[in-house]
Every structure is written in C-alpha cells, then in structure tokens.
Amino acid sequence: MREALRQARKAARQDEVPIGAVIVHGSQIIARAWNQVETLKDATAHAEMIALTQAQGALGDWRLNECDLYVTKEPCPMCAGAIMHCRVRRVIFGCPDLKGGAAGGYWNLLQSPNLNHRSEITAGVLGEECVEVLKSFFREARARKVNGINHKKGIADTGAE
C-alpha cells in the first residue's frame, strides 16, 4: 500500500485526483499506476484500469487470478467490473467510498454471487493516510479556487477566456 500511496501523491502533483494502484504477482510488483483522467482526457484512465492493463502486459494474459491489487481508495463500479473480468484474486484498499464504492461501500460487485468470479476484499489498509492524501488534495483545490487560481493552468483566473 505504501507504493500505491506514492503513486497517489504522483497523481496529486499532476493535478489528478490522488488515487494510486499497484498489482502484485507473487512477491513482485508488476504494475504501478495513478489516476490520469485529466492528463489523458480519458474518463476511464483510473489508476486501477491503467494498472490492470500493465499487469496483463507483464504476464501476457488477461487473467490475473494470481494477482493482488492494492489501491488507495475503494474501486468504483467501472474499475470493479474490470477487476472482476480480469479475475483479480484479492483487492486491498485504503479508504472506503461510501457513496460510489463497488467493493463493499455502496455496492459490492467484487463479491456478487451471480457473477463468475469473486475477489477477496481487505479494506482499511493505511486507511487514515489514504484519506489524508485525498482530503489534502481537495482542500488545496478549494483554496486555489477561492484565491482565483486556475489549477489547470497555474495562473490567476480572470474569467476572460
């Protein structure tokens, strides 16, 4: 989870929502990723999605049934669907997403009895640290907005665009 937190901080430095993900096969990290939605202008560029693609490439197989995914925030429904389809063995996350999480928060797609695969779930690993990374990011974003700084351009927002 510490490496996932490093990835989340990398996302924050790039003005991305600070979520990081790491995939482990055996005892080796085979994928590392952070949110890149704004950078890539791609709504599907969540840390989990990018990490899943990297892991599949590393293993040469779409089946990740011997892999564990560490992610700083509970996966959303899109990511949970991809995790389930890739057959990830276990998902370990830091902080819950009570409004939109799909690993036991609002939904639990990862353990749905009507689907062909279920992932083990471990929640709350370094949870307070994961929450603080998110809170700090949004606190700073709100402060920039209040102070008239356009966080995407790093300049004063005059409204003259």
Side-chain angles (χ1 to χ4, degrees):
M1 188 61 78
R2 295 241 179 255
E3 180 59 28
L5 278 161
R6 277 190 276 285
Q7 298 299 309
R9 290 184 183 102
K10 194 179 287 188
R13 287 192 298 273
Q14 297 188 24
D15 280 332
E16 295 281 357
V17 174
I19 297 174
V22 171
I23 297 181
V24 175
H25 181 258
S27 60
Q28 184 176 20
I29 294 174
I30 61 168
R32 293 174 171 85
W34 66 91
N35 270 5
Q36 296 183 50
V37 171
E38 298 297 335
T39 302
L40 299 176
K41 306 295 185 231
D42 179 355
T44 68
H46 289 194
E48 300 96 309
M49 301 294 281
I50 295 168
L52 290 168
T53 299
Q54 287 177 6
Q56 291 168 43
L59 294 180
D61 194 352
W62 60 269
R63 294 170 193 88
L64 302 177
N65 54 346
E66 294 180 9
C67 295
D68 299 330
L69 167 69
Y70 292 79
V71 62
T72 56
K73 185 179 176 188
E74 180 180 358
C76 73
M78 173 185 67
C79 294
I83 290 164
M84 186 268 308
H85 284 294
C86 293
R87 300 181 181 157
V88 172
R89 173 179 56 196
R90 184 172 167 218
V91 175
I92 301 99
F93 66 85
C95 61
D97 181 350
L98 300 177
K99 293 181 180 178
Y106 189 76
W107 296 285
N108 191 350
L109 295 178
L110 295 181
Q111 295 180 331
S112 180
N114 60 330
L115 297 175
N116 69 333
H117 176 77
R118 285 170 259 334
S119 297
E120 291 178 42
I121 299 170
T122 303
V125 176
L126 297 179
E128 289 180 21
E129 196 169 342
C130 293
V131 166
E132 187 49 42
V133 169
L134 284 161
K135 283 184 176 180
S136 176
F137 174 80
F138 287 111
R139 189 171 38 247
E140 290 171 18
R142 284 189 299 276
R144 284 191 300 264
K145 187 174 182 179
V146 166
N147 292 323
I149 302 296
N150 182 331
H151 75 283
K152 297 296 178 200
K153 297 179 183 173
I155 57 173
D157 187 359
T158 63
E161 289 185 50

